[in-house]
Each structure stands twice: as C-alpha cells, then as structure tokens.
Amino acid sequence: MNNLLDPAILFFGVGVLAGTVKSNLEIPPAISRFLSLYLLMALGLKGGFALSHSGLTASVGTSLGAAVLLAICIPWAGYWMLKRFVSGFDAAAVAATYGSVSAVTFVTAVQYLENQQIAYGGHMAAAMALMESPAIIMAVVFANALRQKAATGVVTVGGGVAALGGPAGKPTVSVGKILHESFTDGAQLLLLGAMVVGLITGDSGKQAMQPFSGDLFKGMLAFFLLDMGLMAARNLPQVKDKSPVLIAYAVLGPVVHASAALGLSWLLALPAGDGALLMVLAASASYIAVPAVLRFALPEANPSLYFGLSLGVTFPLNILVGIPIYVSLAHAVLV
C-alpha cells in the first residue's frame, strides 16, 4: 500500500486514467526522450558513486554473473515454451522482450529501496546493462534458424506444421550487426559512461552532482511515469484479442522469472537489496530497446503482440504491485 501512495506511482496512475478516458494530455516525444536519458544518467552516477565505496569485489562479480545467467536462460525457456502456441517469429520476439529488461522498472525499484532504506549495490546498474542484449541476440539467432528452415519448405510448430509468415530465402540478419547496435546504443553507453564518471569522481563528484542526480531524481521519475501511464493505457487495447496463453504469460511469466532470480540469489547468498533488484530485472520486460531492434531484425513478428503485452500488461503490474512484492520476498528470504 505504501508503494501506491508514492507520488511517482500516483502520477503513473494519473497517466493511466488520462489515457483510459482518451484525454488530450500528452508528453512531447523529445521531452520523454530527455527524461529517459536523465534517469539513466542519474542512475549510472548513483551506481558509480556506490561502487567507489565498495570497489569491484567478488560479491559484485557474483551478482553480475547471476544477471547474465538469467538473461540467457529466461529468453531460451520462453522461446521453447511459446513456440508451441504461436509462430516461431512471434515466440522469438516475445521471448526476447521478456528476456530483456525495463530500465524504468529498475529505476522505480531503486527509488522504492531508497524509500524503504534498504541497501543495494551500485553495480546492479551494470547488471541491468548486461541483461539487455543477450535476449536480442538469441532472438536473432532463432529467427535466422527459422528462415533457414523456411527456405527448405515448412517448419514444425508445436505438434503440427505451419508457415513462418515470411518469404522463403529471406536474408538472415547479421548477429555481428545486432551486437554492434546493442553495445553502441546511446542510452546504454550513457548509463555505463555515467557509472565510470561516478566511480572515478567518488565523494567529491557525488557532492557536486547532488542537485542533479539526487534532488531532481524523484520529480523527474514522477514526470516520466506519468508519460509511461499514458502509453500503457493507450497500448492496453492491443492485447484485448490476444490468446489467453499470451495474456497468462505476460502476467505469470514475470512471477516465474522473479522466483528463479530469488532462488539464484539465495544459492549465491546475495544481499537482500541486490537480490530484490535482480528479481525486478528478471521480472521486467523491455518496451523501448528490444521493440526498436525487433522491428528491424524480426519484421515477420507482430509488433502489437510483444509491445502490447510488455507495456500494456507487464509494466503496470510490476510498477503497481510487483516491486513491493519482490522486495518483501527478497527481504524475507535473503536477510
């Protein structure tokens, strides 16, 4: 309940309400882009300042390794499960979306931990960056394999045979090109660059940047969540006619992913704050970076499917109820 009374979350609710009643309230795209870059820069600085105190320890390496493992296992499992119900390309796209991460969900979780005075490692921002790309790469590999099979005729989907929805012999997409785009993406470079700046400057940098990365953070997050509420409400109609299996995946998949992250955190004896953020990352779904890449890399997939599910269903659930539940479970199991 305390999470719902947070001003940032309440502004998300205002955005959802405005979008639902078809208000003309709108955040200009340029302002929305600026807000997202600000949040990533501020988050990177916070992570860098925290790392300047803790240093690159074995615990940091363990957390980052766990993040990469989840980033590989979640999209792999999602693809092999979903392709029993939808085309291979749609399965790859949805699995990539849910195998990657949402920076806004992560930033909201960080703010929630700070409100609850729960300590967390600054290196978890690096974990978020590491978890973004593996799912995209795997989706491209799956799609290329499907195209190769399509070139020979048909491909098995579930228990039967189905067309792939794309022309046979369609050129494959270079994994190298996707790798380059993933690791040179401006938002990701800004996040990692800000972490390096915070790590180098330490306490003096933290004091100098406090008005920017500290005092303004809460208000900027509230403004951005207002925009996200508008987007979520306006994309929810896209999922009304989708398969119940996909709706169930959008609701229950994040719970399963977060549970896997909790179990891994317990096995590795991660601190409660780090485990909570790992759960949030595992449970989140990308609605910015991955859809942008998939439109180019997997044109055969239906954008309204993976974008609508992630932004219209999973994102609101995580913001409104998921984050406090994940944090509570992590605090109960890992403390």
Side-chain angles (χ1 to χ4, degrees), residues 90-131:
D90 282 337
V94 173
T97 301
Y98 281 81
S100 190
V101 295
S102 162
V104 178
T105 307
F106 180 79
V107 171
T108 307
V110 166
Q111 184 64 53
Y112 182 81
L113 288 177
E114 291 180 353
N115 290 344
Q116 300 296 314
Q117 297 182 338
I118 298 175
Y120 63 91
H123 60 278
M124 294 306 295
M128 181 187 73
L130 288 173
M131 291 181 73

Side-chain angles (χ1 to χ4, degrees), residues 61-77 99 127 130-132 134-135 138 257 260-261 263-265 267-268 270 278 282:
T62 300
S63 297
L64 296 181
V68 173
L69 179 62
L70 288 168
I72 294 172
C73 292
I74 289 174
W76 182 86
L130 288 173
M131 291 181 73
E132 185 173 65
M138 293 176 71
H257 302 160
L264 189 58
S265 299
L267 286 173
L268 298 175
L270 297 184
L278 193 62

Side-chain angles (χ1 to χ4, degrees), residues 15-33:
V16 170
L17 175 63
T20 302
V21 301
K22 303 186 185 306
S23 166
N24 63 355
L25 176 63
E26 184 177 358
I27 308 300
I31 300 298
S32 180
R33 176 65 174 168

Side-chain angles (χ1 to χ4, degrees), residues 46-303:
K46 287 185 176 185
F49 296 146
L51 271 177
S52 70
H53 284 284
S54 64
L56 299 175
T57 63
S59 177
V60 170
T62 300
S63 297
L64 296 181
V68 173
L69 179 62
L70 288 168
I72 294 172
C73 292
I74 289 174
W76 182 86
Y79 172 71
W80 289 104
M81 190 276 287
L82 288 168
K83 74 172 189 171
R84 298 168 55 193
F85 305 100
V86 296
S87 75
F89 289 113
D90 282 337
V94 173
T97 301
Y98 281 81
S100 190
V101 295
S102 162
V104 178
T105 307
F106 180 79
V107 171
T108 307
V110 166
Q111 184 64 53
Y112 182 81
L113 288 177
E114 291 180 353
N115 290 344
Q116 300 296 314
Q117 297 182 338
I118 298 175
Y120 63 91
H123 60 278
M124 294 306 295
M128 181 187 73
L130 288 173
M131 291 181 73
E132 185 173 65
S133 299
I136 300 174
I137 297 166
M138 293 176 71
V140 171
V141 171
F142 290 143
N144 285 345
L146 289 168
R147 294 187 187 109
Q148 292 296 331
K149 290 183 180 180
T152 64
V154 295
V155 61
T156 300
V157 178
V161 176
L164 289 176
K170 179 180 175 64
T172 59
V173 178
S174 167
V175 175
K177 184 174 183 180
I178 296 298
L179 275 171
H180 178 267
E181 290 186 0
S182 297
F183 290 109
T184 59
D185 176 70
Q188 186 150 301
L189 280 179
L190 177 61
L191 172 69
L192 295 176
M195 284 191 68
V196 172
V197 171
L199 180 62
I200 293 173
T201 57
D203 288 338
S204 61
K206 182 177 181 179
Q207 183 176 0
M209 297 299 290
Q210 176 61 28
F212 175 81
S213 60
D215 298 341
L216 288 177
F217 187 84
K218 186 78 172 182
M220 291 290 198
L221 177 60
F223 201 2
F224 192 61
L225 284 179
L226 171 67
D227 186 33
M228 290 299 98
L230 288 166
M231 290 183 63
R234 291 166 181 170
N235 281 276
L236 187 57
Q238 296 184 23
V239 303
K240 286 183 178 179
D241 299 325
K242 304 304 180 187
S243 165
V245 172
L246 292 173
I247 302 297
Y249 182 80
V251 174
L252 300 178
V255 176
V256 174
H257 302 160
S259 299
L262 178 60
L264 189 58
S265 299
W266 179 78
L267 286 173
L268 298 175
L270 297 184
D274 292 2
L277 290 179
L278 193 62
M279 291 175 70
V280 169
L281 288 171
S284 66
S286 175
Y287 55 85
I288 297 177
V290 173
V293 175
L294 291 182
R295 285 179 182 272
F296 159 73
L298 273 80
E300 302 92 338
N302 180 5

